């Protein structure tokens, strides 16, 4: 199978042999729709995941991955796509699915264990009451996301080490990356986003985001068609006025008025010209001068 230089949407310049995705599929797809539209959607997502794996060298040194599964559409889709690639012999790593039960009220504890057992994936369910910590530490009216994610990430790193994994794999997608970029741009005064591949501070684990090129709308359609048992987040999902929601609305408005802009913006994050920015740490402006005239 050959991969070519691609655009992030995976529909035009990505050249992947679709024959690798034809025919039989992993048993978890046994109830998938037989429609042409779903088959195109599935193959598009598989191409985009494979492209991200290739572009960012995600398989380099990888043997065993801890795949974070929250119960949302993105992590369910990520796990299904990785399992399909693994089943086809295109992903030579061992997968361990992990859900961190953070102690949210009314969290349906049976849903994820039942589902993960039903699809035959090795998994671990870990209980840590970070909900109480977040509620205690964060002032009323403030957003929980930052502290919640830090606590969750720390626990997932620990679990990855305990499970002998060399990577933590997360379900962040195209919109997550763009929203983070604009949050940093508008509120943090810096050009930064979520990288598709990151080495943790300790240097012993990589964080991988194989859905970096995947559109959130595609993942929502995929999850609905696959009938994943979605678990809503009642902690942060119930809060209004989050900065991320504002970025999401802004991007949706831009895409509505100028279709295709999200893909263009994502491509821009992969084509950085340091000499055309204003950071003297990235480009030596001091030494830039015209050649002396004779």
């Amino acid at each position: 199978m050959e991969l070519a230089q691609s655009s992030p949407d995976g529909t035009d310049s990505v050249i992947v042999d679709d024959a690798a995705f034809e025919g039989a599929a992993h048993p978890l797809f046994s109830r998938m729709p037989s429609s042409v539209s779903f088959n195109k959607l599935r193959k598009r997502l598989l191409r985009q995941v494979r492209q991200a794996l290739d572009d960012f060298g995600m398989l380099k040194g990888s043997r065993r991955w801890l795949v974070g599964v929250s119960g949302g559409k993105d992590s369910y889709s990520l796990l299904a796509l990785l399992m399909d690639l693994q089943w086809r012999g295109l992903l030579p790593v061992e997968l361990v699915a992990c859900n961190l039960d953070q102690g949210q009220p009314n969290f349906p504890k049976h849903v994820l264990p039942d589902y993960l057992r039903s699809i035959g994936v090795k998994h671990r369910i870990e209980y840590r009451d970070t909900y109480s910590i977040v509620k205690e530490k964060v002032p009323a009216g403030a957003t929980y996301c930052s502290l919640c994610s830090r606590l969750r990430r720390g626990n997932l790193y620990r679990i990855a080490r305990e499970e002998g994994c060399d990577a933590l794999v997360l379900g962040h997608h195209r919109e997550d990356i763009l929203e983070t970029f604009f949050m940093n741009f508008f509120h943090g005064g810096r050009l930064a986003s979520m990288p598709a591949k990151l080495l943790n501070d300790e240097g012993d684990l990589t964080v991988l985001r194989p859905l970096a090129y995947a559109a959130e709308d595609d993942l929502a359609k995929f999850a609905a068609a696959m009938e994943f048992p979605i678990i809503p987040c009642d902690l942060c999902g119930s809060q209004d006025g989050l900065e991320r929601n504002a970025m999401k609305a802004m991007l949706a408005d831009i895409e509505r008025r100028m279709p295709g802009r999200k893909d263009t913006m994502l491509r821009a994050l992969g084509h950085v010209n340091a000499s055309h920015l204003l950071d003297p740490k990235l480009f030596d402006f001091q030494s830039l001068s015209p050649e002396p005239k004779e």
Side-chain angles (χ1 to χ4, degrees):
M1 177 179 299
E2 294 184 356
L3 294 174
Q5 187 64 34
S6 70
S7 61
D9 66 358
T11 57
D12 297 321
S13 57
V14 177
I15 302 176
V16 178
D17 181 5
D18 276 352
F21 305 138
E22 296 290 358
H26 188 283
L28 70 88
F29 287 90
S30 61
R31 296 196 303 165
M32 70 180 183
S34 58
S35 65
V36 172
S37 61
F38 177 79
N39 194 42
K40 287 183 177 179
L41 171 63
R42 180 183 62 86
K43 290 195 289 186
R44 179 164 66 248
L45 289 170
L46 287 169
R47 286 197 303 268
Q48 290 167 341
V49 169
R50 287 215 69 209
Q51 191 70 59
L53 296 178
D54 183 72
D55 285 351
F56 300 102
M58 293 185 185
L59 294 177
K60 194 174 297 183
S62 291
R63 302 176 308 279
R64 186 174 167 95
W65 287 357
L66 188 77
V67 183
V69 182
S70 66
K73 68 182 190 311
D74 306 323
S75 59
Y76 275 129
S77 298
L78 171 66
L79 180 61
L81 293 165
L82 292 180
M83 289 180 68
D84 197 19
L85 288 173
Q86 183 191 54
W87 185 82
R88 295 171 188 278
L90 301 174
L91 184 66
V93 299
E94 186 177 356
L95 302 176
V96 181
C98 178
N99 172 252
L100 180 64
D101 179 351
Q102 297 180 262
Q104 289 99 326
N106 304 315
F107 184 78
K109 295 179 181 294
H110 66 285
V111 170
L112 274 164
D114 289 351
Y115 175 75
L116 295 174
R117 277 194 296 268
S118 75
I119 63 173
V121 64
K122 181 178 175 61
H123 63 275
R124 175 169 168 176
I125 306 296
E126 181 85 2
Y127 177 78
R128 283 290 184 276
D129 185 8
T130 62
Y131 175 84
S132 297
I133 298 173
V134 171
K135 293 287 285 186
E136 177 186 348
K137 299 293 185 183
V138 178
T143 59
Y144 301 139
C145 296
S146 179
L147 178 58
C148 180
S149 63
R150 287 201 304 273
L151 293 172
R152 181 171 61 251
R153 184 69 55 84
N155 277 290
L156 289 173
Y157 282 161
R158 172 183 57 79
I159 296 167
R161 294 184 184 103
E162 292 174 359
E163 291 291 334
C165 297
D166 41 65
L168 170 61
V169 187
L170 303 174
H172 296 120
H173 47 66
R174 179 187 70 177
E175 276 70 15
D176 290 322
I177 290 171
L178 292 175
E179 290 158 18
T180 300
F181 173 80
F182 281 106
M183 287 171 67
N184 285 320
F185 185 68
F186 288 133
H187 301 289
R190 61 195 181 105
L191 298 181
S193 186
M194 286 178 175
K197 182 180 183 181
L198 172 72
L199 187 65
N200 70 338
D201 292 340
E202 292 80 5
D204 64 333
L205 293 169
T206 53
V207 178
L208 306 177
R209 298 182 171 96
L211 297 181
Y213 294 153
E216 184 175 17
D217 284 349
D218 278 353
L219 294 169
K221 293 173 185 174
F222 182 77
M226 292 292 291
E227 299 181 347
F228 295 134
I230 304 297
I231 302 174
C233 178
D234 294 326
L235 179 60
C236 55
S238 62
Q239 291 180 287
D240 295 325
L242 297 178
E243 291 175 357
R244 186 170 292 276
N245 286 347
M247 299 301 103
K248 185 181 291 290
M250 179 193 74
L251 287 166
D253 180 61
I254 292 172
E255 185 71 14
R256 186 165 46 251
R257 291 186 289 109
M258 296 177 286
R261 293 313 96 186
K262 286 183 180 180
D263 287 331
T264 301
M265 286 186 276
L266 193 67
R267 282 199 298 274
L269 294 182
H271 295 82
V272 178
N273 191 337
S275 67
H276 286 55
L277 296 174
L278 303 176
D279 191 342
K281 297 188 294 298
L282 292 181
F283 185 81
D284 186 10
F285 292 100
Q286 295 287 345
S287 300
L288 193 65
S289 60
E291 292 290 331
K293 297 180 180 179
E294 295 183 0

